[in-house]
Amino acid sequence: MKLYAAPLNFRTIAEECSVPTDFSQEVLDEAQAAQDRYVTQRRDARDIPLVTIDPKGSMDLDQAVCIEARNGGYRVFYAIADVAAFVEPGSALEDETFRRGQTIYLPDEPARLHPPQLSEDKASLLADVDRPAVLWTIDLDSAGEVEDFTVERALVRSRARLDYEGVHEDLAAGRLHSSIALLPQVGKLRQASSLHREAINLRLPSQSVEEFEEDGQHRYELVIEPRYEVMDYNSEISLLTGMCAGQLMESKGIGLLRTLPAATREAEEEFRSEVEELGFALGEGSITEFLQGLDADSPRGMAAMREAQRLLRGAGYVWLQDDEAEVHAGIGGYYAHVTAPLRRLADRFATEVCLALANEQEVPEWVSARAGDLVETMSSTSRLASQVDKACLNLTEATVLAPWVGSNFEAIVVQGGAKREKARLFVTQPPVFAEAVGNPETGGQVTVSLVKADVQTREVLFAWPAD
């Protein structure tokens, strides 16, 4: 059955969670008037044939990439939107970004960190126009390990705005754009590197709310977005850059690190037990290797990958000087957010630290002066983003399923209810993670009845065995 929701209003969730969706006229005026503050400090790098790879239709383009062969190894050029060039310290625009912290993704319209004049125009790395950027040049050896890197301000010009679906098709047809022809090769080498570091890199299936038009009306349905290999390869370039940034900060004892504690022994044992009950032969093998080889598009693989999230809890930020350096367990080393400044406040400040350290300069006072505010803002807005995402998904699930109360659905039992009041399920169609009254065995494929889908409370509940 094809299930979808009638028009939904996610503005109520924005209001409920106090998510700012509009910009003041003062902030809009500042964004419109903003000019490159570092225009005289830039290397002319417009000869590098960079391209962007993003979801189809995206206009807020943070990163552009080009990979070349080099002396038996590789050279990765990674240009990042230079948002700091347009945000004056102490301005109303800067204050607004501290109020927002990051882009909050509502299904109908994102509540963006920056006004559209910046996020979708002058700061975005759009194709065929000159743009200020922060350019990382990373030299890798034949195994994909870092030999050296530099970071500097530059003027760049993207050659093409590519999307994941198109690049996936090009990869399958053997016609990748020349700027990313080596991306699969480098991506695979970096994936192998993560095995050596025992990094836990989740390829989470994205359960999302998709808008479409039918009979002149906007409707929404629950979908599992395809996870293309090129997404993982592209992600490896971002992770590589963040690791370079984190190592640079740790070596100098100053900067903003993204941190994540290692999974507890109890969490690892519970995960091993759950995936074996789902039908996987993990035993005492490497969790990292298991997750890399997992087919996350299959229902059971999807459930196992979702459960792996429980291994990675307690992510945060620390400002070195105030706190000791901490590693990111999901990365297997020191790590910093520097590759998405249009969407995340932390990246703008962490990038400024890297620029200063790489060029043996003092970290700008406007950066260090707001370090405490920055950590607090990122912590609070990360919680808010998670809260909003869950509320939007719950609303859509309840609305989609409401007409089908009493109907039966096929599901995989992620965790049985023997030691819990309710079992946890993955319903395969529509794709919903939910609870069920009853005690089915973990790993079983069962038929359950939908007994509750309350739009007002956004609650969904199934029962086993099915009526």
Side-chain angles (χ1 to χ4, degrees):
M1 60 183 70
K2 181 175 176 63
L3 309 182
Y4 58 83
L8 290 168
N9 181 9
F10 296 98
R11 296 300 98 182
T12 57
I13 293 176
E15 293 169 3
E16 174 187 314
C17 298
S18 300
V19 176
T21 56
D22 297 316
F23 292 94
S24 70
Q25 192 58 52
E26 180 183 12
V27 169
L28 291 173
D29 289 344
E30 284 192 2
Q32 184 63 44
Q35 300 294 324
D36 182 3
R37 300 191 299 129
Y38 303 109
V39 65
T40 62
Q41 301 179 25
R42 299 194 181 281
R43 165 194 168 186
D44 188 344
R46 289 174 291 181
D47 60 315
I48 300 173
L50 298 157
V51 297
T52 60
I53 314 173
D54 289 273
K56 187 174 293 186
S58 295
M59 293 292 289
D60 53 340
L61 310 182
D62 287 293
Q63 313 109 6
V65 63
C66 175
I67 304 177
E68 298 177 349
R70 178 197 66 90
N71 297 332
Y74 309 88
R75 174 162 291 170
V76 177
F77 296 104
Y78 207 41
I80 307 301
D82 192 355
V83 181
F86 299 101
V87 182
E88 189 74 36
S91 65
L93 178 56
E94 184 191 55
D95 289 343
E96 183 65 18
T97 61
F98 268 87
R99 187 164 78 97
R100 294 173 179 247
Q102 56 190 290
T103 296
I104 305 293
Y105 288 96
L106 296 150
D108 51 356
E109 184 180 357
R112 298 200 181 280
L113 174 60
H114 300 96
Q117 294 96 326
L118 295 185
S119 63
E120 299 183 2
D121 188 8
K122 63 178 71 176
S124 179
L125 301 182
L126 300 170
D128 302 320
V129 288
D130 294 348
R131 285 291 184 260
V134 173
L135 181 64
W136 292 81
T137 303
I138 305 173
D139 287 343
L140 307 177
D141 63 18
S142 59
E145 299 295 342
V146 177
E147 289 188 336
D148 195 15
F149 66 87
T150 61
V151 56
E152 60 191 326
R153 284 199 150 90
L155 185 67
V156 303
R157 189 179 182 90
S158 170
R159 300 297 196 271
R161 188 177 74 173
L162 308 178
D163 61 74
Y164 288 117
E165 184 176 345
V167 174
H168 171 72
E169 293 174 356
D170 288 346
L171 176 60
R175 56 169 186 258
L176 280 177
H177 191 288
S178 58
S179 296
I180 55 170
L182 293 172
L183 177 60
Q185 196 168 334
V186 171
K188 290 175 183 177
L189 289 173
R190 293 303 302 169
Q191 288 173 338
S193 177
S194 71
L195 286 176
H196 302 321
R197 300 191 308 272
E198 284 296 310
I200 298 178
N201 186 8
L202 299 185
R203 294 174 291 111
L204 285 171
S206 181
Q207 183 187 17
S208 65
V209 182
E210 187 171 285
E211 182 180 7
F212 66 99
E213 189 170 322
E214 183 177 86
D215 299 329
Q217 290 188 311
H218 290 282
R219 299 182 182 276
Y220 299 87
E221 67 176 324
L222 290 167
V223 298
I224 295 294
E225 297 178 353
R227 183 77 189 182
Y228 300 125
E229 284 184 324
V230 67
M231 293 178 174
D232 297 323
Y233 300 152
N234 201 38
S235 177
E236 288 294 338
I237 304 303
S238 180
L239 294 174
L240 166 66
T241 307
M243 290 186 68
C244 290
Q247 291 163 3
L248 177 61
M249 292 177 185
E250 190 277 333
S251 69
K252 302 295 185 180
I254 185 170
L256 182 71
L257 292 181
R258 179 64 165 164
T259 63
L260 182 70
T264 64
R265 178 177 294 275
E266 292 77 9
E268 286 194 3
E269 290 176 353
E270 183 178 2
F271 176 74
R272 291 178 184 277
S273 175
E274 286 181 353
V275 297
E276 287 188 1
E277 290 180 331
L278 283 170
F280 298 103
L282 175 55
E284 295 301 314
S286 164
I287 291 178
T288 298
E289 191 168 353
F290 167 72
L291 291 173
Q292 277 208 7
L294 186 64
D295 178 8
D297 291 328
S298 69
R300 291 181 186 276
M302 197 177 299
M305 193 67 76
R306 178 71 172 260
E307 288 305 285
Q309 282 184 288
R310 293 144 65 89
L311 299 171
L312 303 178
R313 291 178 170 175
Y317 293 89
V318 298
W319 179 259
L320 301 184
Q321 287 189 319
D322 296 339
D323 298 286
E324 293 185 4
E326 298 178 27
V327 300
H328 189 293
I331 302 298
Y334 297 111
Y335 181 66
H337 275 158
V338 292
T339 62
L342 286 171
R343 289 167 272 183
R344 218 167 29 214
L345 177 64
D347 301 51
R348 184 168 88 231
F349 282 75
T351 294
E352 290 305 309
V353 173
C354 291
L355 284 165
L357 298 181
N359 294 282
E360 299 184 350
Q361 299 171 352
E362 292 292 322
V363 173
E365 193 277 336
W366 64 265
V367 173
S368 54
R370 301 208 68 172
D373 295 338
L374 180 62
V375 172
E376 182 178 344
T377 294
M378 292 309 303
S379 297
S380 62
T381 58
S382 293
R383 291 192 296 270
L384 175 62
S386 178
Q387 177 187 353
V388 170
D389 185 59
K390 183 177 181 180
C392 290
L393 195 56
N394 288 347
L395 173 61
T396 307
E397 289 177 348
T399 306
V400 165
L401 290 168
W404 299 89
V405 171
S407 299
N408 292 342
F409 295 80
E410 297 302 311
I412 292 171
V413 184
V414 177
Q415 190 172 69
K419 299 179 182 179
R420 303 162 52 95
E421 292 184 3
K422 298 170 184 170
R424 288 194 296 117
L425 309 171
F426 174 56
V427 178
T428 54
Q429 182 58 36
V432 173
F433 285 90
E435 292 188 324
V437 177
N439 184 25
E441 292 186 4
T442 300
Q445 188 161 341
V446 298
T447 301
V448 293
S449 292
L450 177 64
V451 296
K452 183 179 184 180
D454 191 321
V455 175
Q456 296 302 315
T457 61
R458 304 169 194 150
E459 293 179 291
V460 169
L461 182 66
F462 292 86
W464 180 88
D467 294 334

